[in-house]
Structure formats: structure tokens, C-alpha cells
């Protein structure tokens, strides 16, 4: 054998390369973070390092794996949790307000054989699930008022979206781990200006209503107070007519000379005779 290699160095090199190539096609290294579908002439025959709930990466399956060279191939599928981003969606709330929502889902391939048969790769799975996530998001958030979309109450909505999306994702051998909102903003431009105008109009109308109600209640209170004062005046007049006349004169003097206390009095000069009946309370005449 040694003499053959020495006599035919080129042929020996070719044989060595073929053996080396066959070895690398027979043995493959299975990463801890990957699970593989072994296919024989395009048909899946077994799974290596498949995902198991609760196991830690590297406990089993990872390492060297043998396969038939040139006949069997391995399709690698990520074993880790992956992100599924979606395009920004416009959501119309129950009170007819629009919100631009940017959300994403986290998923894991739990059945690599089913995923390989239905979609062949993670990219095709994401392509199929992305519009479904958007539809689930619009349907669920569209059932809620505008304020709840910006509050912790939306956690319940996110769980409903996850359950609905997971129901469809299971057909691809995928489990939806979580659904979250990255950002929720009011739409910019004319829709936002229109929304602010409607909010301003609503607040102004509410303020007018409150002021009108306040004025109405003040008028009622003032009328009740005037009626009570008139009743007290009438009762006082019946008991002591002289005191009632004196009290009314004092009120008249205060209003005439000092004003009613609500507005500033204008500088005014009043010329009256000392014998005027209006000033009789100053002179002590009854």
C-alpha cells in the first residue's frame, strides 16, 4: 500500500480528499441551539436534538451525529425563542379614535417535523404568521376604548392575542411564547390635529355645561336667600316697625355712599337739605 502511494502520489491525494470529504459528509456537529430534520432524498426521516419542554440546552442531542453521505442532509431549525416583528398597524378603538401600534411576538419551534413539512423554514413561518398577528391585534384592540389601549389593562388584550395567534401557529409546529406592544402613538399629521380639535371642542362644551349649571345653582341659591331675607324683614317689621325702618335706612345709606361692595363707586357729590326726609335717621327724627 505504501509503495502504491509512493508510486502514484497524485492518485493518493485524490483518494485522500475523497475520503476526507466523505468523512465530513458522514459526521456533522449538532449545535446546542439548533435542532435538525434529517432528510433522505428530500424526505424527512428523523429529528436530532429536538426541543423538549423544561430541558436545558446541551443536556442531550448536541454533539456529533452520523448520516449517510450524499443521500442524507440536515435542515437546521433554531431551537431558541425568536422574535416576530410586524408592521405598524392602525387600530380604531370603540370610541372611534385611531392609534398606531407597533407590536411583536416571541415564538419557539416545538415541532420541527411539522414546521419542515408545512413551511420548510423559519422565514416562511414568520411570513405566514405576520399578517395573522396584525389581524389578531386589530380585532382585539378594536374591542376596547382608547384609554384602555394606553393603560395596564391592555395586558389582558395581549394574552387574548397570544392565545388566538398560538391556535394558528400550532399548525406550523410553533408555540407563541409572548405578544408585546413596543410603541403605541397617536397618528401624526391631519388625523392627530383633527383628534386634538375634537378633544378641545369636547372639553369646551363640558366647561360651558359646568359654568351654566353653576350659574343656575347660584341663581337658585340667590333667590332662596332673597326670599329668606324678605321673610325675615317682614317678620321684623311686624315686631318692631321702627327698628325695621332704621335698618332699611342704614342699608340705603351704605349703598348710596359706599356702594354695594361688588364694584368700585364713582366719585359723586350729593347735595341735600338738612331737613330732607331721607336724612331723618341722622337727626334722630322719627
Amino acid at each position: 500500500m505504501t509503495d502504491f502511494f509512493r508510486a502514484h502520489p497524485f492518485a493518493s491525494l485524490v483518494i485522500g480528499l475523497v475520503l476526507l470529504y466523505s468523512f465530513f459528509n458522514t459526521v456533522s456537529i449538532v449545535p446546542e441551539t439548533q435542532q435538525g430534520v434529517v432528510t433522505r432524498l428530500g424526505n424527512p426521516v428523523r429529528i436530532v436534538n429536538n426541543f423538549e419542554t423544561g430541558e436545558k440546552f446541551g443536556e442531550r442531542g448536541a454533539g456529533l451525529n452520523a448520516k449517510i453521505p450524499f443521500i442524507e442532509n440536515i435542515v437546521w431549525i433554531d431551537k431558541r425563542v425568536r422574535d416576530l416583528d410586524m408592521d405598524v398597524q392602525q387600530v380604531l378603538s370603540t370610541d372611534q379614535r385611531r392609534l398606531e401600534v407597533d407590536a411583536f411576538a416571541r415564538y419557539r419551534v416545538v415541532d420541527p417535523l411539522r414546521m419542515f413539512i408545512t413551511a420548510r423554514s423559519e422565514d416562511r413561518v414568520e411570513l405566514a404568521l405576520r399578517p395573522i398577528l396584525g389581524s389578531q391585534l386589530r380585532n382585539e384592540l378594536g374591542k376596547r376604548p382608547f384609554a384602555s389601549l394606553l393603560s395596564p389593562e391592555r395586558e389582558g388584550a395581549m394574552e387574548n392575542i397570544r392565545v388566538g395567534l398560538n391556535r394558528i401557529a400550532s399548525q406550523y409546529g410553533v408555540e407563541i411564547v409572548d405578544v408585546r406592544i413596543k410603541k403605541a402613538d397617536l397618528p401624526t399629521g391631519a388625523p392627530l390635529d383633527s383628534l386634538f380639535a375634537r378633544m378641545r371642542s369636547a372639553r369646551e362644551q363640558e366647561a360651558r355645561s359646568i359654568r351654566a349649571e353653576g350659574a343656575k345653582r347660584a341663581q337658585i341659591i340667590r333667590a332662596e336667600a332673597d326670599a329668606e331675607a324678605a321673610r325675615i324683614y317682614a317678620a321684623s317689621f311686624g315686631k318692631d316697625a321702627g327698628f325695621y325702618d332704621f335698618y332699611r335706612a342704614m342699608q340705603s345709606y351704605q349703598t348710596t355712599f359706599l356702594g354695594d361692595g361688588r364694584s368700585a363707586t364713582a366719585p359723586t357729590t350729593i347735595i341735600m337739605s338738612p331737613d330732607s326726609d331721607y336724612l331723618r335717621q341722622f337727626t334722630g327724627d322719627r
Side-chain angles (χ1 to χ4, degrees):
M1 182 66 69
T2 306
D3 294 337
F4 175 81
F5 289 147
R6 289 177 179 175
H8 303 85
F10 181 76
S12 301
L13 179 62
V14 172
I15 293 173
L17 291 175
V18 169
L19 291 176
L20 187 62
Y21 182 75
S22 299
F23 173 77
F24 281 113
N25 275 274
T26 301
V27 178
S28 59
I29 299 176
V30 181
E32 296 179 357
T33 59
Q34 299 288 320
Q35 50 191 335
V37 178
V38 180
T39 63
R40 184 176 300 162
L41 300 178
N43 298 316
V45 292
R46 67 181 185 276
I47 307 297
V48 294
N49 196 27
N50 60 301
F51 172 80
E52 292 289 343
T53 303
E55 75 167 0
K56 295 182 180 179
F57 285 6
E59 286 186 347
R60 62 170 187 83
L64 296 179
N65 178 76
K67 61 185 180 67
I68 302 174
F70 311 112
I71 296 178
E72 291 184 345
N73 292 308
I74 300 180
V75 178
W76 298 111
I77 298 173
D78 203 339
K79 198 175 180 180
R80 297 165 295 184
V81 175
R82 293 172 58 92
D83 289 338
L84 172 63
D85 286 319
M86 56 166 280
D87 297 330
V88 177
Q89 301 288 321
Q90 276 206 356
V91 177
L92 183 63
S93 62
T94 54
D95 47 2
Q96 301 302 306
R97 295 183 180 178
R98 294 186 181 276
L99 192 68
E100 290 186 347
V101 179
D102 187 5
F104 69 96
R106 293 190 177 99
Y107 74 94
R108 174 190 286 123
V109 178
V110 295
D111 189 346
L113 179 59
R114 181 185 292 272
M115 197 223 73
F116 176 77
I117 294 173
T118 56
R120 296 286 174 172
S121 68
E122 297 100 324
D123 292 338
R124 291 186 179 181
V125 169
E126 294 179 4
L127 191 63
L129 293 182
R130 190 170 287 112
I132 300 174
L133 173 60
S135 177
Q136 291 282 340
L137 185 78
R138 289 191 301 272
N139 291 340
E140 182 62 32
L141 298 186
K143 300 175 184 177
R144 300 171 182 270
F146 176 82
S148 69
L149 304 185
L150 304 176
S151 71
E153 296 179 14
R154 71 185 185 193
E155 293 299 326
M158 293 296 99
E159 177 61 19
N160 293 340
I161 295 171
R162 188 198 69 79
V163 171
L165 182 61
N166 190 62
R167 191 179 302 113
I168 300 173
S170 61
Q171 302 174 11
Y172 297 92
V174 169
E175 177 190 18
I176 302 300
V177 178
D178 196 11
V179 176
R180 282 287 179 266
I181 290 179
K182 289 192 293 186
K183 185 172 61 174
D185 292 328
L186 293 171
T188 57
L192 181 59
D193 296 339
S194 177
L195 174 61
F196 284 156
R198 290 197 302 270
M199 293 175 64
R200 187 183 303 110
S201 177
R203 294 299 178 269
E204 290 175 352
Q205 184 177 359
E206 183 179 1
R208 286 194 297 269
S209 177
I210 293 173
R211 284 196 295 267
E213 181 66 21
K216 178 181 177 181
R217 292 178 61 85
Q219 188 176 7
I220 293 174
I221 293 173
R222 191 178 299 111
E224 292 176 349
D226 291 342
E228 181 66 14
R231 186 188 65 78
I232 295 174
Y233 293 158
S236 300
F237 181 77
K239 294 180 180 179
D240 189 346
F243 174 77
Y244 178 75
D245 184 53
F246 173 77
Y247 179 74
R248 294 295 292 171
M250 293 300 104
Q251 282 190 318
S252 177
Y253 296 155
Q254 179 182 9
T255 302
T256 301
F257 301 119
L258 300 179
D260 58 4
R262 299 178 183 175
S263 58
T265 57
T268 304
T269 301
I270 301 176
I271 301 175
M272 303 180 68
S273 170
D275 299 331
S276 172
D277 186 60
Y278 183 70
L279 300 176
R280 70 180 185 279
Q281 295 293 346
F282 284 144
T283 60
D285 296 336
R286 296 293 177 124

